[in-house]
Amino acid sequence: MHYPLLRLRRMRKTAVIRDLVAETQVPVEKLIYPVFICDRTNARDEVSSMPGIFQLSIDNALIEIGQAMEAGVRAVMLFGIPDEKDQEGTSAWSESGIVQRATRRIKQQFGEDLLIITDTCLCEYMTHGHCGIVMQGQVLNDPSVEILARVAVSQAEAGADMVAPSDMMDGRVTWIRDGLDDAGFDDIPIMAYSAKYSSAFYGPFREAAESAPTFGDRKTYQMDPRMRRQAVEEVGQDLTEGADIVMVKPALAYLDIIREVREQVNTPIAAYSVSGEYSMVKAAAQQGWIDEQAVVLESLTAIRRAGADMIITYHAKEAAGWLKAAL
Ligand code: PBG
């Protein structure tokens, strides 16, 4: 009697065997660390809904990024919190804008060892907090993409290695690609937030970036969580327009979308594990209800297993440290 012939437990017997057969890895070089940079001096102000995440002045951002790099992080995504907001998001494309100044300093300090990805959006720079130009209560598409192209070019001029439009206007990748090429930046890639859902998981980010809309919501431009097939359409559209990396966002509640996109395209996929995902883990960990390190590493593994190549995560610095310690 040879029953059962197949005993899957044989491959789980020791840590060495489990590592040998493991299908999924989370290499530190796949993590991207979001950093919030503000225009105040000497600031290191903790975001109350995101313990461990700070609004940083440029000097303190250099220190924070240096520490993250020490732990193994090699890519950051910069978000700016400007002093001045207006109806055109002027400070988003100004040469002296907060992201442009920060990018120059960070590039100067870390050079090619660090990849700088800049968030290309308008919401932080608009008095109304929407990701585009607003007229009569409507978020307009075509005038917004023109401005977004200007933002991308100004970020590339400041030294950004990659731009990441997060606005969800139709056609922005075309406009940004054209703008970059015309300005001589044909070698700067675009990471497009392609399947970006209108999600309540962005709540803490809006506190961190001071970018909550003052009226209405983002449902006329961000995707409806009930859509799956449309994610493939969005991704296809962005690829046609010249996106180099496509993104799915949020991550954990949208693993099916990551998998769906993985099966449809060969382009690198980024997954954004958003602020709400981070805050829930932090809150539960602070209560002593979960093992934070184990939960974070399991979540990152799940996002990779779903098919993401790279992960934007607020846990990046800490997780890099844990991954390093495990080696
Ligand atoms: C700006 C932007 C948002 C996020 C990234 N870029 C907020 C939004 O769309 O309201 C969310 C990130 C997060 O929650 O961590 N357009």
Side-chain angles (χ1 to χ4, degrees), residues 8 16 36 44 107 138 142 154 181-182 214 256 324:
L8 289 164
V16 174
F36 297 101
R44 185 175 164 81
K107 187 48 53 187
Q138 303 291 317
D142 298 10
S154 77
D181 290 359
D182 286 350
T214 54
D256 60 322
K324 197 170 165 184

Side-chain angles (χ1 to χ4, degrees), residues 121 123 166 196 202 205-206 218 222 249 274-275 314:
C121 199
C123 53
S166 62
K196 176 176 179 178
Y202 306 156
F205 172 95
R206 293 182 189 164
R218 303 206 200 289
Q222 298 179 347
K249 176 186 175 189
V274 301
S275 55
Y314 300 96

